Amino acid sequence: MKPRALVTGAAGFVGSNIAWELSSRGWDVVALDDFSNGDFKNLQGFPGDVIAADVGDVAYWSPRVGRADAVFHQAAITDTTVADQRLMMRVNVEAFRDLLEWARKTRVKKVVYASSAATYGDLPVPQREGAAPKPLNVYGFSKAVMETVAEKAKGVRAVGLRYFNVFGPREAHKGKYASMIWQLSLQMKAGKRPRIFEFGEQYRDHIYVKDVVDANVRAFEKAAPGVYNCCTGRKTDFNAVVAALNDALGTSFAPEYFKNPYSFYQNETLGDPAKARKAFGFAARWTAERGIQDYIGGSRKPAGAEA
Ligand SMILES: NC(=O)c1ccc[n+]([C@@H]2O[C@H](COP(=O)([O-])OP(=O)(O)OC[C@H]3O[C@@H](n4cnc5c(N)ncnc54)[C@H](O)[C@@H]3O)[C@@H](O)[C@H]2O)c1
């Protein structure tokens, strides 16, 4: 019998990439999303069932899903600037609690869920799982509480992956919350110089979505319950991102630097990948540069280059 997965947030960026990959590997996949932020185009032609439901509305979707071997939980409010604490906590934490209870009752083998590097806030780099969370906003707080809820849940095996800065196909619907790589590529494709803060030396741990999908599958197969970084352990600064985008697009734009208007800004994010490597053999295979080539290169050309 085919393994069966429930993917929540499956019309979203990471969820749709997981759903398509599992499906191509022969899984029977149920895609669940309330379409509050996802995009139907991410699921166009999807061979599995698509359920339009709020993940917290278990009574509605439970009979429609039936059983599952695995849950890949990606549904969340992902706009990190949402200030409505009640809403953030209800969607990200309480719906997750209900999902875990359903997983326990229906004997799901493992729940792999999306946590975030936002749980670290501005803790010194490289950020490691052992440190006490220090989120700087309610989004990061909600992810930290999800981890506690998962840890305390009885009778269900749950693995949290703290994603760092994910980029890749199927993120366009996120608009200004899509990755910086995507934002800068849009500026350059429109024939404009990419705008970055002075002097482009801030860096991120950019992880390609194909690696994030791989981490999810491996975590399902091998990880013991717990929380793990989902990162590359490599720094890529914004000057290097612009250089890689120039390579991918065949352009030669110089960055347009401008003063950072924020009094608080994280100049660096970097995860330590050691725990995930040891626990379930996950190591990112894509550098930011190669990921950018795969994602933005190929058929995509800058404005004016078509002729
Ligand atoms: N993209 C990143 O860089 C990143 C970094 C850290 C963590 N994460 C986490 O990864 C997960 C996926 O994020 P993403 O980047 O794909 O964002 P996304 O917004 O594209 O995907 C989230 C999906 O969840 C759906 N959703 C929201 N609330 C729902 C609800 N109550 N019921 C059902 N569906 C609901 C949305 O419609 C959307 O399709 C999220 O949990 C996010 O917090 C993402």
Side-chain angles (χ1 to χ4, degrees), residues 195-224:
R195 284 173 52 80
I196 54 180
F197 293 154
E198 290 175 347
F199 286 98
E201 289 131 349
Q202 307 84 352
Y203 64 80
R204 295 282 175 269
D205 191 326
H206 300 280
I207 183 160
Y208 195 34
V209 71
K210 292 185 181 179
D211 276 325
V212 174
V213 171
D214 181 42
N216 272 272
V217 176
R218 282 172 192 269
F220 170 70
E221 287 167 349
K222 298 199 188 113

Side-chain angles (χ1 to χ4, degrees), residues 12-14 33-34 37-38 55 74 78 139 143 166 173-174:
F13 168 36
V14 179
D33 203 294
D34 70 355
N37 192 48
V55 77
Q74 310 301 309
T78 57
Y139 168 77
K143 293 285 173 183
V166 192
H173 66 278
K174 292 182 74 177

Side-chain angles (χ1 to χ4, degrees), residues 236-289:
T236 309
D237 72 19
F238 286 108
N239 289 323
V241 167
V242 169
L245 284 167
N246 271 322
D247 273 356
L249 292 166
T251 52
S252 52
F253 290 110
E256 186 183 321
Y257 297 119
F258 67 108
K259 265 207 183 330
N260 179 352
Y262 301 110
S263 56
F264 172 78
Y265 180 74
Q266 246 172 306
N267 285 315
E268 43 197 35
T269 62
L270 183 68
D272 182 341
K275 187 179 173 193
R277 190 184 306 130
K278 200 162 163 224
F280 54 98
F282 170 68
R285 282 173 300 173
W286 295 85
T287 59
E289 287 80 0

